[in-house]
Amino acid sequence: MRRPAPLVALLLLLLAGCTSPHGDEPDTGKRWQPRPGVAWQWQLSGRLDTSVDVPVYDIDGFDQSKATVTALHDKGRKVICYLSTGAWEDFRPDAKKFPKSVLGKGNGWKGERWLDIRRTDVLEPLMAARLDMCRDKGFDAVEPDNMDGYRNTTGFPLKAADQLRYNRLIARLAHARGMAVGLKNDLDQIPALVGDFDFAVNEQCAQYGECDALKPFITADKAVFHVEYELPTSRFCADSRRLKLSSLQKKYELGAWRKAC
């Protein structure tokens, strides 16, 4: 095959840079970047308490409205959109759009099943639509959940490479919509993914002695939003302060109650 002339090649590159699937806009790099130690509130159930005096809220993307996001912005908050991107939930309004072929075993939560993340042909447009929703409601960032299926019994022969590919896809889709994106758990792949994500969200690293694995995010000047459910703050806050984690004690239902370090 003949190589195109230099001018033609340049035009082709420029045109390629102007188009992307699902109407994605180019990533300008001007998205929000939370820094280590920033205080936060994480509430995914119950009536949302907007009175917590912290600069960051992480709330459910489906359950909360654009008006709620705007009200939090009016109080000077940044707002993260919680979505499950690695598991199917039977109670979501788009649940019927997921074909049975991509639904795997239960992930331990009622009504939820792991997704076959290898099937990006099916999942990319569905996740793009969810991220469009977050963007249209005005969220600053996304917390994609269930991002470590390859380490679990999903019903699919998922490999580490499948997870890296899928997680990077989700990060690209969020960035293309101007939103920051966090890596949820998936500790073993942090060295490979820290450059693709803007912050981390972790559950129970103190209980399992894993918090040091989150250091690459802190070193990169990126926040780590961290919760413990079974340990009192006296058991983890000293280490959290040393590591510059944004740490909370929460209950499993993730209601309004919180105890911060």
Side-chain angles (χ1 to χ4, degrees):
M1 181 184 295
R2 289 193 305 164
R3 297 177 64 182
L7 180 58
V8 175
L10 177 60
L11 288 171
L12 289 171
L13 284 170
L14 289 172
L15 287 170
C18 293
T19 60
S20 55
H22 313 301
D24 296 349
E25 294 297 325
D27 178 12
T28 64
K30 294 181 180 179
R31 59 187 172 269
W32 173 54
Q33 175 58 72
R35 303 300 179 189
V38 64
W40 72 308
Q41 165 66 324
W42 195 19
Q43 183 178 348
L44 302 182
S45 69
R47 182 180 178 86
L48 185 65
D49 178 3
T50 61
S51 68
V52 181
D53 188 14
V54 292
V56 179
Y57 264 72
D58 188 339
I59 59 179
D60 189 280
F62 280 103
D63 292 347
Q64 304 301 332
S65 67
K66 181 176 182 178
T68 297
V69 177
T70 299
L72 287 167
H73 281 159
D74 289 345
K75 291 184 175 184
R77 320 289 191 227
K78 295 291 188 181
V79 194
I80 301 172
C81 182
Y82 170 88
L83 290 175
S84 182
T85 50
W88 176 79
E89 301 159 306
D90 65 5
F91 50 88
R92 296 303 189 186
D94 62 352
K96 291 183 179 179
K97 295 181 180 180
F98 290 76
K100 290 183 179 179
S101 61
V102 302
L103 306 184
K105 294 185 176 181
N107 69 351
W109 294 92
K110 184 179 179 181
E112 298 188 23
R113 294 166 66 179
W114 289 106
L115 289 169
D116 186 353
I117 59 169
R118 300 170 301 171
R119 294 293 309 279
T120 54
D121 58 321
V122 172
L123 296 180
E124 181 174 353
L126 291 168
M127 295 305 159
R130 288 183 166 193
L131 290 165
D132 285 344
M133 174 190 70
C134 294
R135 177 199 59 200
D136 293 346
K137 289 182 178 181
F139 282 95
D140 303 285
V142 181
E143 180 210 334
D145 199 6
N146 296 297
M147 297 283 273
D148 54 1
Y150 84 106
R151 294 295 305 273
N152 291 272
T153 305
T154 62
F156 306 111
L158 303 181
K159 298 184 174 5
D162 299 320
Q163 195 72 59
L164 287 172
R165 178 173 173 247
Y166 188 71
N167 290 4
R168 286 177 173 138
L169 169 64
I170 297 298
R172 287 197 304 273
L173 292 174
H175 287 161
R177 287 154 178 79
M179 295 181 292
V181 61
L183 180 65
K184 181 72 170 286
N185 298 322
D186 196 18
L187 293 172
D188 290 345
Q189 295 189 329
I190 283 176
L193 291 173
V194 64
D196 297 281
F197 288 81
D198 305 290
F199 57 93
V201 180
N202 176 266
E203 296 168 292
Q204 298 173 280
C205 70
Q207 181 174 343
Y208 296 108
E210 299 170 333
C211 293
D212 281 350
L214 292 151
K215 284 181 178 179
F217 275 96
I218 301 300
T219 300
D221 201 25
K222 298 177 179 181
V224 174
F225 298 111
H226 160 238
V227 297
E228 293 293 330
Y229 302 113
E230 298 181 12
L231 297 181
T233 52
S234 60
R235 292 276 303 277
F236 64 88
C237 280
D239 278 342
S240 289
R241 285 190 286 269
R242 175 180 60 83
L243 293 170
K244 299 182 181 178
L245 309 184
S246 301
S247 296
L248 299 175
Q249 182 186 356
K250 296 286 292 185
K251 297 175 181 176
Y252 278 109
E253 64 268 24
L254 290 172
W257 185 86
R258 69 195 285 277
K259 189 173 182 181
C261 287

